[in-house]
C-alpha cells in the first residue's frame, strides 16, 4: 500500500475558518471530478486567525493534484 499524503491549504484572517470550510467543498468536488480513490477531506480551525483545509491523496497522485490545486504544504498522513 502506498503512503498517503495530506495536502494542506492555510487561510488566515478573521474569516479564515469560513474560507477553509468553503474550500473543502471545492476539494470534494475535485475528488468526484477526477475520480480519486481516497475521499478524505476536512477543515480545522487552528486559532481565531488561522484555519486549514486539507485533502488526503495516495502518493502516486500527489504530484498531479499538487500541480493543479497548488496546496501550501503537505505532510505524510498517519490516519
Amino acid at each position: 500500500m502506498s503512503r498517503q499524503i495530506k495536502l494542506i491549504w492555510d487561510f488566515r484572517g478573521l474569516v479564515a475558518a469560513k474560507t477553509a470550510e468553503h474550500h473543502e467543498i471545492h476539494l470534494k468536488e475535485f475528488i468526484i471530478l477526477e475520480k480519486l480513490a481516497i475521499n478524505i477531506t476536512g477543515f480545522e480551525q487552528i486559532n481565531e486567525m488561522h484555519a486549514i483545509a486539507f485533502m488526503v491523496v495516495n502518493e502516486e497522485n500527489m504530484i498531479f493534484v499538487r500541480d493543479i490545486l497548488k496546496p501550501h504544504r503537505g505532510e505524510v498522513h498517519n490516519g
Side-chain angles (χ1 to χ4, degrees):
M1 181 176 180
S2 71
R3 291 191 309 174
Q4 295 179 338
I5 307 298
K6 182 178 182 180
L7 300 175
I8 302 167
W9 290 262
D10 292 286
F11 300 96
R12 299 186 188 278
L14 294 174
V15 296
K18 283 293 188 188
T19 305
E21 183 178 8
H22 181 79
H23 191 71
E24 183 192 14
I25 293 168
H26 295 295
L27 296 176
K28 289 179 178 183
E29 291 170 344
F30 182 82
I31 289 169
I32 292 167
L33 183 67
E34 295 298 329
K35 299 177 177 70
L36 297 178
I38 298 177
N39 64 352
I40 301 170
T41 64
F43 68 94
E44 298 174 20
Q45 186 166 359
I46 307 303
N47 60 46
E48 63 186 32
M49 296 292 282
H50 182 206
I52 64 169
F54 65 87
M55 73 184 294
V56 177
V57 298
N58 287 324
E59 189 171 26
E60 61 267 14
N61 295 327
M62 188 275 297
I63 291 175
F64 168 74
V65 174
R66 180 202 66 193
D67 289 351
I68 293 173
L69 299 183
K70 310 223 183 306
H72 298 125
R73 56 195 172 100
E75 59 189 40
V76 174
H77 179 63
N78 295 316

